[in-house]
Amino acid sequence: MKPVSFDPSTAECLVFTYKAGLLSGVAHDLKLRVERFEIAVDDQGIHTHFHASSLRVVCAQVGGQDDPRALSEKDRREIEATIVRDVLDARRHPAIDFRSSAVAATVAPAEIQIDGTLSIRGRERPLRLLARREADRAVIETAIHQPDFGIRPYTAMLGALRIKPDVAVRVTTPWPD
């Protein structure tokens, strides 16, 4: 395989958080974008490096639909600062890394199974991913259970407002040949 690499100019990494709790009606589900990352695909496998301090709020979501007017610029910046400082502790743990241990075609056409290790906040956990082909793109969607990586999901107002422990991640790249 010819080595290829991807970054935000050719690929996209989105993170979705979901609200919960008694006061969830005053909160928002969020769509975040990782602004700085590298993905390398070569004979050794797939290696990714996501910069933990580069998550940016794209918008709030209501009923699964983007609502770009739901958050002020100040709200966005406060959310981003909280994620970097309190949730990911990016100062002490600047990188989120994934390294594959096995990459194989599946029985289904245009799918690749990727097994590997995800590292967040200094904790490693095995992760199985499925890349599916959509036109000329590879799409990987997974859920990450924050407590598995020592992350206490964000809470406010004595827990009446909180973020669900599972966040969704979607990475889209050109389909590697």
Side-chain angles (χ1 to χ4, degrees):
M1 166 184 273
K2 178 183 169 191
V4 294
S5 62
F6 308 110
D7 61 29
S9 70
T10 55
E12 180 177 62
C13 179
L14 297 173
V15 179
F16 300 88
T17 66
Y18 305 99
K19 63 187 178 176
L22 192 60
L23 295 178
S24 64
V26 299
H28 301 285
D29 293 340
L30 297 175
K31 179 189 214 178
L32 310 166
R33 175 179 288 115
V34 181
E35 296 286 325
R36 292 185 5 244
F37 63 87
E38 300 84 35
I39 301 171
V41 181
D42 58 29
D43 290 336
Q44 304 300 310
I46 300 168
H47 316 286
T48 68
H49 183 83
F50 300 92
H51 297 260
S53 64
S54 74
L55 269 85
R56 299 294 176 261
V57 175
V58 175
C59 63
Q61 292 196 308
V62 177
Q65 300 299 313
D66 291 355
D67 185 355
R69 294 174 294 175
L71 297 170
S72 69
E73 191 60 30
K74 180 181 181 230
D75 291 338
R76 291 174 198 259
R77 298 302 156 237
E78 287 176 8
I79 293 167
E80 291 167 2
T82 299
I83 291 169
V84 168
R85 182 187 62 242
D86 301 333
V87 177
L88 294 176
D89 190 10
R91 175 173 262 171
R92 288 186 32 212
H93 305 284
I96 298 168
D97 293 309
F98 175 81
R99 181 175 295 275
S100 70
S101 55
V103 178
T106 66
V107 177
E111 285 186 350
I112 298 172
Q113 181 176 302
I114 307 162
D115 293 321
T117 302
L118 179 64
S119 175
I120 302 175
R121 287 183 57 142
R123 293 193 184 183
E124 294 184 345
R125 297 289 180 266
L127 184 63
R128 174 170 281 172
L129 302 169
L130 189 64
R132 69 180 185 281
R133 187 173 192 152
E134 291 184 6
D136 64 342
R137 308 291 287 173
V139 178
I140 298 171
E141 295 177 305
T142 192
I144 296 175
H145 189 67
Q146 296 177 84
D148 288 348
F149 297 93
I151 299 171
R152 183 175 174 262
Y154 178 79
T155 62
M157 300 177 196
L158 301 174
L161 175 61
R162 63 184 184 276
I163 299 298
K164 291 182 178 180
D166 289 345
V167 298
V169 178
R170 182 173 61 220
V171 176
T172 307
T173 70
W175 185 264
D177 292 322

